[in-house]
Amino acid sequence: MALLFSLILAICTGPGLLDAHPSSHPFGGSSSSVRLVGGDHRCEGRVEVQQAGEWGTVCDDGWDKNDAAVVCRELGCGAVKRAISGTSYGPLTQENQKIFIQEFKCNGMEESLSQCEREDFFDCTHEEDAGAVCGFEENVRLVDGPKRCQGRVEVKHQGQWKTVCKASWSFAATKVVCRQLGCGRAMLTRKCCNKATQGQGPIWMRKASCSGKEISLQDCPSGVWERNNCTHDEDMWVECEDPFELQLVGGDSRCAGRLEVLHKGEWGTVCDDGWGEEADQVVCRQLGCGESLSPSAKFRRRFGPGVGRIWLDDVACSGEERSLEQCPHRFWGQHNCNHAEDVALVCAEQ
């Protein structure tokens, strides 16, 4: 059944998947697309990409949660759960099926695989096919905003995308939407919109009664909303923080070093006030590494102090967050620290 899944999303720019030589520029092609094959539903399985009407697999060289996260996002399948071997899924790949890509090098923030650096196939077997497990199919989205984490709220109900009326919405529901879409914390909820960004279709006639702690909007109790005289002048607009882009620097691998966060195009450090083992685990998971190895403070100092901006302070994670932006923290650039207090960590490599 999985092989009958329909083509999900066309990627329309850039050079083809089958460039004749290895390269590190973004791939694309007028007919390229991605799917997950062999899982229990369309949001898990072996990764396959298409070129010129032919489906091929992806080698798992360097394959991690950053790469899998992009696949999940492109397919509208929610947050990534795991980056795994595609051999976990049957039926097994036919030996004559091509392997198109040796390695993707995504940072996890891209909207599609076409935006990731890659190397074309040169040495791999189908025993090394890549796979992914995503959370669930999205039932909410933000549209017509300047960034993917800002926009008019739309909910998928009975197979149709519908706008949401201000009177049926709350800031708690906004928190849930930001979390579900893999964005940062909720920043703003307001009535939308000018004529250019108003919705055009049906309006969702239910009220979401969220506490703000749910993982997804479908976890919120909802009931029929008695008021039914809303217009698109009352469509809801939501703004979330952008997802954090992280790196560990100064270590021997990408899974060890001083933590840096990208904001407004500039890398900066994180102060260790309030930082704990739970935050270590969140960062290790977000970077696609293994568990935190909980090094001593003395060992952490070997990565040295940073320079420039200190972006975050008082980060307080529970350990359950999927990414660091979901942890409470001060606003960007607000701190009472110096670089002697920069966070560093060591994760197991996968």
Side-chain angles (χ1 to χ4, degrees), residues 250-290:
D252 295 331
S253 76
R254 69 178 188 86
C255 292
R258 183 179 63 254
L259 177 62
E260 294 188 352
V261 182
L262 185 66
H263 181 58
K264 293 184 176 179
E266 183 178 357
W267 289 99
T269 61
V270 178
C271 181
D272 64 6
D273 290 352
W275 191 269
E277 174 61 23
E278 296 83 2
D280 278 5
Q281 296 291 3
V282 172
V283 171
C284 291
R285 184 163 56 243
Q286 184 172 352
L287 291 175
C289 301

Side-chain angles (χ1 to χ4, degrees), residues 201-214:
I203 298 172
W204 191 46
M205 292 301 176
R206 298 184 72 85
K207 181 179 178 65
S209 300
C210 303
S211 70
K213 297 181 179 179
E214 293 87 354

Side-chain angles (χ1 to χ4, degrees), residues 85-330:
S85 170
T87 58
S88 302
Y89 298 100
L92 297 178
T93 312
Q94 298 296 314
E95 284 302 317
N96 61 356
Q97 185 176 10
K98 291 181 180 178
I99 302 171
F100 284 159
I101 303 296
Q102 185 76 22
E103 181 178 1
F104 278 111
K105 300 175 182 178
C106 306
N107 63 35
M109 300 299 149
E110 298 88 351
E111 295 294 327
S112 70
L113 286 178
S114 68
Q115 298 170 359
C116 299
E117 300 295 307
R118 63 85 166 89
E119 290 186 4
D120 293 338
F121 168 71
F122 60 89
D123 181 23
C124 200
T125 70
H126 284 305
E127 293 179 356
E128 303 169 80
D129 285 342
V133 180
C134 310
F136 45 80
E137 184 174 359
E138 295 290 12
N139 63 351
V140 64
R141 65 185 182 183
L142 301 178
V143 298
D144 290 337
K147 302 178 180 179
R148 81 168 187 87
C149 291
Q150 299 177 16
R152 184 181 67 251
V153 183
E154 292 191 352
V155 172
K156 195 172 188 180
H157 182 239
Q158 295 179 340
Q160 270 189 308
W161 285 105
K162 303 180 179 183
T163 61
V164 174
C165 185
K166 181 177 185 295
S168 68
W169 198 252
S170 66
F171 192 70
T174 296
K175 290 181 178 180
V176 176
V177 168
C178 293
R179 181 178 302 117
Q180 179 174 348
L181 295 181
C183 301
R185 62 184 177 180
M187 302 294 289
L188 175 69
T189 296
R190 63 174 171 82
K191 186 175 74 171
C192 182
C193 294
N194 58 42
K195 293 296 182 182
T197 54
Q198 281 183 358
Q200 302 295 323
I203 298 172
W204 191 46
M205 292 301 176
R206 298 184 72 85
K207 181 179 178 65
S209 300
C210 303
S211 70
K213 297 181 179 179
E214 293 87 354
I215 297 299
S216 71
L217 199 62
Q218 61 196 16
D219 296 329
C220 299
S222 67
V224 176
W225 182 43
E226 297 300 327
R227 181 184 172 190
N228 60 6
N229 60 345
C230 259
T231 69
H232 286 299
D233 289 333
E234 300 171 89
D235 287 344
M236 279 307 305
W237 183 273
V238 160
E239 294 185 6
C240 318
E241 276 190 338
D242 289 333
F244 289 1
E245 187 171 343
L246 310 179
Q247 64 180 5
L248 298 178
V249 299
D252 295 331
S253 76
R254 69 178 188 86
C255 292
R258 183 179 63 254
L259 177 62
E260 294 188 352
V261 182
L262 185 66
H263 181 58
K264 293 184 176 179
E266 183 178 357
W267 289 99
T269 61
V270 178
C271 181
D272 64 6
D273 290 352
W275 191 269
E277 174 61 23
E278 296 83 2
D280 278 5
Q281 296 291 3
V282 172
V283 171
C284 291
R285 184 163 56 243
Q286 184 172 352
L287 291 175
C289 301
E291 295 291 309
S292 168
L293 298 181
S294 304
S296 66
K298 181 179 179 181
F299 189 92
R300 294 175 194 251
R301 285 195 293 271
R302 70 170 54 189
F303 301 115
V307 295
R309 300 299 295 263
I310 299 174
W311 276 132
L312 294 176
D313 190 16
D314 292 331
V315 179
C317 301
S318 69
E320 298 301 316
E321 297 85 358
R322 293 186 297 193
S323 52
L324 192 65
E325 63 266 14
Q326 295 174 1
C327 301
H329 57 83
R330 286 195 189 188

Side-chain angles (χ1 to χ4, degrees), residues 1-9 33-35 42 55 75:
M1 288 293 293
L3 289 174
L4 298 177
F5 287 150
S6 61
L7 183 149
I8 304 300
L9 183 63
S33 59
V34 60
R35 67 183 182 184
R42 75 174 189 89
W55 289 99
L75 295 178

